[in-house]
Amino acid sequence: MGVREALAEVLTTPAVTLAELREHPRSVRDRHRLSQVETDMLLAAAAHAGWRVTADEVSAKLRIALECALPRTVAEADARHGAVVEEFVRRTVRRPFVDKEAGWFALGDTFLASMDGQVPEGLVQFGRFELLSNRLVHDPAAAEAARNWARAGRGAPGSRAVGSEQVAHGRLSLSATVRLGIYDHDITAVGAPRNLPGQPVQVVLRRRWKQPPQIHRIGAGTGLLLSLCDGTRTGREVADASGIETGAAMATLQQLADGGVVIPFLHRSRPESGAAGTGGAACSR
């Protein structure tokens, strides 16, 4: 607790906190463990309209960051769900992030959680998908891996054969260029995010160098196998844990390894470094 938290409370609930600060300053001081000097500073701020200017500036910057993280989700919420976005940025004050893009995405997570119950569940699901995609676009490890694939002349990441022994005995991880998304609504439907059928879907996002991520719908069995490729299990262990018939599971894992979706690491091999491991005032893309 401290003066920043007290100021955040003033900015997000001014009608309540300013009145308390003027009439019962000691309660605010005790709640936030302020010194008398800090309390006096807040009282001085409450005596004029400067706090409102600060609140407007904070809200405007938060909206810009939110639009960077979730452009289509925010646009849909603005168009069809009243003041959901404005209410969110008005009541949200956060400490600044050292990493600007990390700040965007953390704000996006908070916004999606706040929308639960206020908008259709399908829009929240689409927001999760949009955030996953944008995180992949801005992930330096994914960019490096995609660039190295392109430099190696592999138009499609992973256009190479991987030995079956590597797949069976190597610990499998998702490629740095890949993300797995599992949703209760079809976020790939035509008309998204406005019209999303309540149909479960699983997708793989693939990072391409200097291109938008590609979206591939996958079956539930493939999704289950990919969810188990977390770097702690060998291919055999993934197949056993999945409950899928061993031959079919290993054949699918082999295809995924050949396609560069999963990477086998043997012994103490370190995760790939660019070969292909696995969610301001303007946005820079």
Side-chain angles (χ1 to χ4, degrees):
M1 305 296 282
V3 69
R4 288 190 178 185
E5 286 73 15
L7 179 58
E9 187 177 353
V10 171
L11 294 176
T12 53
T13 57
V16 175
T17 308
L18 286 176
E20 181 186 10
L21 189 57
R22 294 188 185 106
E23 298 171 14
H24 306 288
R26 185 170 181 174
S27 66
V28 177
R29 184 190 68 189
D30 292 345
R31 180 165 66 252
H32 292 284
R33 300 174 186 172
L34 304 176
S35 69
Q36 187 59 51
V37 171
E38 291 170 333
T39 306
D40 290 342
M41 288 171 56
L42 283 177
L43 280 167
H48 56 76
W51 65 270
R52 184 68 269 170
V53 175
T54 303
D56 289 344
E57 183 180 359
V58 169
S59 294
K61 289 183 177 180
L62 286 174
R63 172 176 262 282
I64 290 170
L66 197 58
E67 289 171 347
C68 287
L70 294 163
R72 294 176 65 188
T73 303
V74 169
E76 176 66 9
D78 274 339
R80 292 169 61 86
H81 301 290
V84 167
V85 179
E86 289 305 320
E87 290 172 2
F88 172 77
V89 297
R90 285 292 182 193
R91 68 173 182 267
T92 301
V93 175
R94 59 164 174 77
R95 291 177 181 271
F97 287 89
V98 174
D99 185 321
K100 177 178 65 176
E101 292 168 0
W104 295 349
F105 301 136
L107 187 65
D109 284 328
T110 303
F111 176 61
L112 292 176
S114 78
M115 285 206 304
D116 191 28
Q118 297 192 69
V119 302
E121 175 59 23
L123 182 57
V124 178
Q125 297 270 314
F126 182 85
R128 287 178 48 214
F129 161 72
E130 186 173 33
L131 205 56
L132 182 71
S133 179
N134 284 337
R135 277 186 159 123
L136 178 59
V137 167
H138 291 279
D139 185 329
E144 180 186 4
R147 182 181 62 234
N148 286 346
W149 278 112
R151 284 178 174 173
R154 301 181 179 104
S159 52
R160 58 175 180 166
V162 179
S164 59
E165 288 299 303
Q166 288 179 277
V167 176
H169 302 295
R171 297 190 181 279
L172 301 184
S173 295
L174 295 187
S175 164
T177 62
V178 168
R179 298 293 185 274
L180 171 66
I182 301 175
Y183 306 99
D184 295 330
H185 289 69
D186 186 358
I187 47 81
T188 69
V190 175
R194 181 157 298 182
N195 299 309
L196 293 180
Q199 175 181 330
V201 67
Q202 301 191 29
V203 299
V204 163
L205 294 175
R206 298 290 301 270
R207 180 75 154 82
R208 296 287 192 263
W209 181 237
K210 294 186 177 180
Q211 297 180 40
Q214 293 185 341
I215 307 168
H216 304 278
R217 292 174 63 115
I218 58 174
T222 300
L224 174 58
L225 290 171
L226 288 175
S227 71
L228 294 169
C229 294
D230 59 2
T232 67
R233 300 177 180 88
T234 66
R236 288 288 184 186
E237 291 168 340
V238 168
D240 291 343
S242 72
I244 299 172
E245 190 274 323
T246 300
M250 292 305 300
T252 299
L253 290 172
Q254 183 69 56
Q255 292 176 342
L256 293 169
D258 290 343
V261 177
V262 298
I263 310 295
F265 300 108
L266 297 172
H267 307 298
R268 294 187 177 182
S269 297
R270 298 181 65 183
E272 58 196 321
S273 176
T278 308
C283 309
S284 57
R285 296 288 184 191

